[in-house]
Amino acid sequence: MKKIFLIPIIILALSACGGSRTGTMEDSKKVESHKNEKSKDTKEEGGERIKKKFGSFIIPDGWVEAKEQSGHGKYFYVVKGHENDVRPNNISINKGHQNYNLDESEKFAESTTWQLNMQLKQSGIDAVVYGSSGTTDAGDIMYIFDIKFNDSNEIDRQYYILRDKKFVMIYMSNFDNDESVNETAKLMAKSFEWK
């Protein structure tokens, strides 16, 4: 199952807007120290508010964390019962670092668009990138990038929720263009609240 997550991980590595730092030993220790923490998730209408070290978000009923694929500060969610599928529709969430302050958010969007297009071109992937923007329910700036693969129904969508020099990325891989997957990713992004 880890193979299906390769493209999102590669895109994530490049999406931090050029020159971003890689994890340090101190970051690794922080990840390990928080690995055993129990989150206090709470039920909400139609779903559950999930709390992680960097913030919280809502996932709808019927979705669960794919714990075998989650780790190192990145959490994957799938429809319950599909945790061991070879290629399930999935949504991941993680925190990352970037080079811009909030008042430079348009530079973040331009840089990310350029990097996604370059990565697709260099990988020989036949796809198109579409971008838009919005805000979360909490009022945070959010950029949305859709990657539409021309040879399949697959749509990958990246939601970036910004703060100064950091972001949370919600990454959706929707292999069969299931609208409920799109709605789940949107709910996670719109409901996100920084800690």
Side-chain angles (χ1 to χ4, degrees), residues 22-118:
T22 57
T24 62
M25 200 60 143
E26 184 179 313
D27 291 336
S28 297
K29 289 177 186 173
K30 286 179 187 175
V31 167
E32 288 300 317
S33 71
H34 289 281
K35 203 172 195 177
N36 296 324
E37 280 184 8
K38 296 279 184 190
S39 62
K40 294 180 176 118
D41 303 334
T42 56
K43 281 290 190 189
E44 299 226 353
E45 187 176 326
E48 183 176 12
R49 181 159 288 277
I50 306 296
K51 295 181 180 177
K52 297 296 182 189
K53 179 180 157 185
F54 47 81
S56 67
F57 52 93
I58 296 173
I59 61 167
D61 294 333
W63 281 75
V64 296
E65 183 178 334
K67 294 191 185 283
E68 286 186 19
Q69 282 67 43
S70 297
H72 305 288
K74 187 170 191 165
Y75 306 92
F76 286 90
Y77 292 87
V78 297
V79 173
K80 187 174 183 173
H82 293 272
E83 297 90 334
N84 296 312
D85 287 4
V86 174
R87 190 176 165 170
N89 292 328
N90 65 86
I91 304 168
S92 67
I93 185 168
N94 64 282
K95 179 183 159 198
H97 300 277
Q98 48 100 359
N99 293 329
Y100 303 105
N101 290 316
L102 279 178
D103 60 355
E104 303 172 297
S105 67
E106 288 180 5
K107 290 180 182 177
F108 171 88
E110 291 168 6
S111 177
T112 302
T113 302
W114 181 83
Q115 287 180 347
L116 289 172
N117 280 309
M118 284 303 296

Side-chain angles (χ1 to χ4, degrees), residues 158-175:
Q158 298 178 2
Y159 292 88
Y160 288 91
I161 302 161
L162 303 183
R163 282 283 169 99
D164 286 342
K165 306 289 186 180
K166 63 183 177 181
F167 63 85
V168 159
M169 182 176 72
I170 296 170
Y171 190 106
M172 174 196 81
S173 291
N174 189 350
F175 299 110

Side-chain angles (χ1 to χ4, degrees), residues 44-45 47-50 55-60 93 135-140 142 159 161 168 170 183-195:
E44 299 226 353
E45 187 176 326
E48 183 176 12
R49 181 159 288 277
I50 306 296
S56 67
F57 52 93
I58 296 173
I59 61 167
I93 185 168
T135 58
T136 64
D137 292 341
D140 289 303
M142 177 170 60
Y159 292 88
I161 302 161
V168 159
I170 296 170
E183 291 301 316
T184 297
K186 182 178 179 181
L187 174 64
M188 287 174 68
K190 290 290 284 178
S191 68
F192 182 79
E193 296 177 1
W194 286 96
K195 188 169 183 179

